[in-house]
Amino acid sequence: EGFISKEHTLMLIRTLKKVIKETTITDGPDVSSAAIVAKLEVGDVVELLGEPSEQGEMMRATCRSMRDGSEGWVTLKGNQGSTHLTDGGLLWRVQKEIVLTESFEETDAKADRKLRPGELIEVREWMRKDESGAMRMKCRAKMDGKVGWATVVGSTGMVYLAVH
């Protein structure tokens, strides 16, 4: 290829965190007076947008949800010491067999190989919706280094890949 794409550069410098305890995105740093912008479920991934700061007994930071793009303040560590977010989000595990393809659109894509359940992949470009409504991401198979596009969630809602 000979160059690094903007998306690949962002994946190198982004700080991603995965949700390990349900929490919310709020519109301000003070939980008691902030409104809820979105809910985060276990397994969701957020991008850290600012340095974490102490808000009383809690550690909070501004984040963006990689699922829906909503932004706001998220609790990393609760006032009882519970951890809500941990490092992660770039490594995913294959849940159901899926084909790794050369191009983004599945309709005109040549199949490179099948990804098997349990196999690990690394994110190269974050997922986006294709023409059929499926969410696809560019990834690299850890087993053999093969790079291509894989369906994360099919147009029917079937989950093929999950954050590891």
Side-chain angles (χ1 to χ4, degrees):
E1 293 177 359
F3 67 94
I4 299 176
S5 69
K6 176 183 176 187
E7 189 66 28
H8 187 72
T9 302
L10 286 174
M11 291 308 291
L12 294 173
I13 61 173
R14 278 181 172 157
T15 301
L16 297 179
K17 301 276 187 183
K18 67 180 178 179
V19 178
I20 58 170
K21 183 175 181 179
E22 287 185 2
T23 189
T24 58
I25 298 175
T26 63
D27 64 358
D30 183 4
V31 185
S32 61
S33 63
I36 294 173
V37 173
K39 293 188 181 216
L40 294 172
E41 299 171 3
V42 172
D44 282 346
V45 177
V46 297
E47 176 184 8
L48 215 56
L49 299 176
E51 287 293 317
S53 62
E54 289 185 22
Q55 303 292 325
E57 297 285 317
M58 292 189 253
M59 184 66 70
R60 298 197 19 105
T62 53
C63 297
R64 174 185 303 119
S65 168
M66 298 305 284
R67 179 170 29 103
D68 64 10
S70 56
E71 293 184 18
W73 288 83
V74 177
T75 301
L76 283 75
K77 187 174 125 188
N79 57 6
Q80 301 295 316
S82 58
T83 302
H84 294 251
L85 305 179
T86 189
D87 290 340
L90 288 179
L91 195 61
W92 291 61
R93 180 177 300 279
V94 178
Q95 303 296 308
K96 289 186 131 340
E97 188 172 281
I98 190 72
V99 176
L100 188 67
T101 62
E102 283 183 354
S103 61
F104 175 71
E105 291 298 334
E106 282 185 286
T107 52
D108 54 38
K110 180 181 154 228
D112 284 343
R113 76 169 184 85
K114 289 182 180 177
L115 296 171
R116 309 267 182 220
E119 192 172 341
L120 296 177
I121 60 154
E122 295 174 334
V123 176
R124 288 291 188 233
E125 288 185 35
W126 200 256
M127 68 181 101
R128 58 184 197 248
K129 197 175 282 192
D130 72 5
E131 291 176 351
S132 73
M135 296 297 288
R136 292 179 48 81
M137 73 166 58
K138 191 170 189 178
C139 55
R140 179 181 148 315
K142 293 281 284 182
M143 184 187 316
D144 61 6
K146 192 79 172 162
V147 175
W149 290 89
T151 300
V152 179
V153 180
S155 57
T156 61
M158 176 72 68
V159 176
Y160 294 94
L161 306 173
V163 71
H164 178 63

